[in-house]
Amino acid sequence: LKRHPEFSPHEYWAVRPLRTMLSIAARRARFAVPKVSTGTALGRGPWAVMSARSFCAAAPATAPAEVPEGAIPEDRKTRQSMLPNEMVDYLDQYIVGQKDAKKAVANALRNRWRRQQLDEEMRQEIMPRNILMVGPTGVGKTEVARRLAKLVDAPFIKVEATKFTEVGYHGKDVDTIIKDLVELAIRRQRSRLEAEFAPEVNTRVEEQILTALLGRTTEQHEKESWLKHLRSGALDERFVSIDVPNEPRMDEILAPGGDQGVKMVKVSPNTGKPERKKVTVKEAKKRLRQGALDKLISQELVTKKAIEAVEQEGVVFIDEIDKICQARGARYSGDASAEGVQRDLLPIIEGCEISTKHGNVKTDHILFICSGAFSAVKPSDMLAELQGRLPVRVELKALTKEDFERILTEPKHNVIMQNQALLGTEGIRLTVGAESVSELARVSSDINTYVENIGARRLHTVLEKLMEEISFDAPTMPEEKKTIEVTPDMVRTSIEPLLKKTDLSKFIL
């Protein structure tokens, strides 16, 4: 194509990456793609130019692949470009109600995709729409953010605001939020690359172990037989002599800027000769695989990609934000986990540069989601500057009896299905009728009303009490009694002790 008189140089360079992209796709899909040349795929003569041009024009730039409703797309880019209604449909499989919270988080994540489509100058000016969720405990605040961050494959961390102290006091500074997020992103990035290289590395490791066991002069059919035993684990306890690569050397150096509290880690490959050791085949697989992955994966590249992912895609969920607030007019208590932590959070949420041992991280485009029950204080009791950095406010509603019924039946892998699956391993066939589900929901709602409102977590308490005797007797239960139907009377009888613990002090004048 490059030599063809009707094919201009800039068109050649536009087509050339296609070969690379097709090769990568073929390797991931584990099939071979015919080599693109002037004599095969695109042919010879003037029509070859038109074929190449039409092939380039046919590929849509941002069109996401069609995915069945409710399923998670395999392609990471497709997941990141999901539409808000698709994200909400996915969340509806696991979380009942709370449409406002689902829409707010879906819009915030979609805005990230929109920002990536803009030019660099405009992209730097657009800040994330940070969210404040207000609602009682156990209604799905954390679950909404965690599920969506997993869906779009974004670095996500959840922290409790009460775990941090003001700078100058003994305890954890708020900077550790970003440091922990970077560590998590590095592990995710490396795991992703290891999964991508796994087929190639496993083949190489098997070849090395078979060579150590049999030598190089082995018949092909005999080698295939040994390979079958190796993959089945039959040779795991055999000993084999292999060259074990030395561990890389890790040196700590002072972070840029002279920050005495932050050190950077410099990883230097060990240039010494591999050490000959006699280990089991199982251990040899592990060591050889790790050594091969270390050669293929550059730690510097992993760290660079991880920091980039944190800066552009990171999601930080700060729970119990109301516990570091004080009511208006309240006397200063001197608590190291109060308003001082709010002041320390201000620059991080607004956007600053945090020093970590892997390098500096900018927080300008990290999405922050704060949540709290705000039962003793109000959102307006937060520092005005912090309120301004959380522009999107969503109120989540307390759960009702009808919500509890939906939670027990609608979500994918709901708690009733979980208990049926667990008891099914003992041969127990558990059935819960509609009347029993209604009674479970009523009892859970009553206990939340008269004892303590802990939201959907109350269902776990009620179901564990209901299943206590069944779970204990399941292994020794005779076959004729292994079909169990939960009735409303069983629910009332087993939950009666919980209902008797109602705190009556609140009704005394």
Side-chain angles (χ1 to χ4, degrees):
L1 296 176
K2 189 177 182 181
R3 292 193 298 268
H4 199 279
E6 297 184 16
F7 206 83
S8 61
H10 73 274
E11 288 176 323
Y12 167 74
W13 289 108
V15 175
R16 188 183 179 193
L18 291 175
R19 169 60 187 168
T20 306
M21 290 188 290
L22 288 171
S23 299
I24 294 173
R27 186 176 66 203
R28 289 179 179 174
R30 300 184 187 179
F31 62 84
V33 170
K35 185 175 180 181
V36 178
S37 65
T38 56
T40 55
L42 297 180
R44 299 179 183 273
W47 72 271
V49 180
M50 297 303 298
S51 300
R53 289 172 181 165
S54 60
F55 185 50
C56 290
T62 57
E66 291 187 5
V67 181
E69 184 179 355
I72 300 180
E74 294 294 334
D75 183 31
R76 185 167 180 266
K77 287 187 177 180
T78 303
R79 284 195 271 174
Q80 291 179 333
S81 63
M82 287 183 70
L83 304 179
N85 63 320
E86 294 175 339
M87 298 183 194
V88 172
D89 290 342
Y90 169 76
L91 289 177
D92 286 341
Q93 298 181 64
Y94 302 95
I95 304 167
V96 169
Q98 315 302 355
K99 288 288 185 183
D100 292 341
K102 295 173 182 176
K103 288 180 180 178
V105 180
N107 283 335
L109 294 177
R110 180 63 179 182
N111 276 336
R112 285 188 158 180
W113 178 87
R114 293 167 180 154
R115 176 177 166 270
Q116 295 298 327
Q117 313 309 310
L118 303 175
D119 59 86
E120 183 65 27
E121 184 178 356
M122 178 64 75
R123 193 183 306 167
Q124 295 303 322
E125 295 296 326
I126 296 178
M127 296 293 110
R129 307 296 193 264
N130 297 322
I131 301 171
L132 175 63
M133 293 185 179
V134 180
T137 183
V139 297
K141 298 187 296 292
T142 307
E143 195 69 7
V144 167
R146 186 181 67 83
R147 290 275 183 185
L148 269 190
K150 180 181 178 182
L151 175 64
V152 299
D153 198 18
F156 175 83
I157 188 170
K158 175 185 178 292
V159 296
E160 305 288 338
T162 53
K163 289 185 178 180
F164 302 100
T165 58
E166 187 177 353
V167 173
Y169 288 84
H170 178 72
K172 296 175 66 177
D173 297 339
V174 293
D175 291 1
T176 57
I177 298 174
I178 306 302
K179 295 172 185 176
D180 293 343
L181 184 60
V182 171
E183 295 290 342
L184 183 144
I186 288 175
R187 291 195 295 270
R188 289 175 63 258
Q189 190 70 28
R190 184 172 179 88
S191 299
R192 191 181 300 153
L193 290 174
E194 287 181 354
E196 184 176 340
F197 288 115
E200 177 184 348
V201 168
N202 291 339
T203 302
R204 190 182 305 177
V205 168
E206 290 170 351
E207 187 68 30
Q208 287 179 273
I209 293 177
L210 288 178
T211 301
L213 285 171
L214 308 175
R216 297 185 180 276
T217 58
T218 308
E219 297 293 335
Q220 184 63 29
H221 66 89
E222 185 180 354
K223 191 174 182 179
E224 290 176 358
S225 176
W226 278 82
L227 181 60
K228 185 183 298 184
H229 291 305
L230 177 64
R231 290 175 175 173
S232 67
L235 306 177
D236 282 355
E237 301 305 319
R238 278 200 166 211
F239 282 88
V240 62
S241 296
I242 59 169
D243 293 328
V244 179
N246 292 321
E247 297 290 334
R249 188 175 71 254
M250 302 179 69
D251 303 320
E252 288 190 349
I253 59 177
L254 196 64
D259 188 350
Q260 297 292 331
V262 178
K263 292 183 177 180
M264 298 181 67
V265 177
K266 181 181 179 183
V267 181
S268 304
N270 198 324
T271 55
K273 292 183 177 180
E275 186 179 355
R276 190 80 173 177
K277 285 188 176 181
K278 191 173 185 180
V279 296
T280 61
V281 169
K282 186 176 182 179
E283 182 69 16
K285 285 181 186 177
K286 180 180 176 182
R287 294 200 179 192
L288 290 174
R289 185 176 183 274
Q290 191 60 47
L293 288 171
D294 289 340
K295 290 180 180 179
L296 290 171
I297 299 173
S298 167
Q299 187 61 33
E300 292 183 2
L301 180 61
V302 169
T303 303
K304 180 182 176 182
K305 291 289 186 183
I307 291 178
E308 182 181 345
V310 168
E311 292 180 341
Q312 303 299 326
E313 306 168 10
V315 179
V316 175
F317 189 90
I318 305 177
D319 202 5
E320 307 292 351
I321 193 75
D322 58 314
K323 302 301 187 294
I324 60 173
C325 298
Q326 291 179 338
R328 297 270 177 165
R331 188 174 58 182
Y332 180 67
S333 63
D335 186 1
S337 295
E339 288 193 2
V341 179
Q342 292 188 58
R343 288 191 292 269
D344 293 340
L345 282 171
L346 288 176
I348 295 180
I349 295 179
E350 183 179 18
C352 65
E353 199 164 309
I354 303 295
S355 295
T356 72
K357 66 181 181 180
H358 301 287
N360 294 338
V361 180
K362 295 181 180 180
T363 65
D364 302 68
H365 301 289
I366 295 177
L367 177 64
F368 288 88
I369 303 175
C370 300
S371 77
F374 289 96
S375 54
V377 295
K378 299 178 293 185
S380 58
D381 292 328
M382 298 169 60
L383 294 179
E385 296 85 355
L386 187 57
Q387 293 182 50
R389 287 161 176 78
L390 302 169
V392 181
R393 185 174 299 182
V394 182
E395 292 191 11
L396 288 85
K397 301 175 183 177
L399 300 175
T400 63
K401 174 180 175 292
E402 290 73 21
D403 292 330
F404 282 122
E405 289 186 20
R406 294 179 61 196
I407 292 172
L408 286 170
T409 55
E410 291 183 10
K412 190 176 181 180
H413 310 308
N414 57 65
V415 286
I416 291 181
M417 292 176 62
Q418 293 174 23
N419 280 278
Q420 288 173 334
L422 288 172
L423 293 173
T425 61
E426 304 276 5
I428 304 295
R429 295 171 293 278
L430 183 72
T431 57
V432 184
E435 293 182 359
S436 301
V437 169
S438 180
E439 186 65 19
L440 283 168
R442 186 194 64 79
V443 169
S444 300
S445 180
D446 289 348
I447 297 176
N448 273 354
T449 302
Y450 299 115
V451 181
E452 185 68 32
N453 187 3
I454 60 173
R457 297 183 182 94
R458 180 65 67 189
L459 289 174
H460 292 279
T461 306
V462 171
L463 277 171
E464 283 302 313
K465 192 68 179 175
L466 175 64
M467 298 294 168
E468 188 175 25
E469 293 298 327
I470 299 174
S471 181
F472 184 81
D473 297 332
T476 57
M477 195 173 290
E479 186 64 34
E480 61 273 11
K481 294 185 179 181
K482 285 194 172 183
T483 300
I484 301 174
E485 182 180 358
V486 176
T487 63
D489 290 336
M490 288 177 60
V491 175
R492 285 189 287 269
T493 303
S494 59
I495 309 303
E496 188 177 1
L498 293 177
L499 291 171
K500 285 183 177 180
K501 294 179 182 179
T502 303
D503 184 8
L504 300 179
S505 62
K506 63 178 72 177
F507 302 108
I508 299 176
L509 296 178

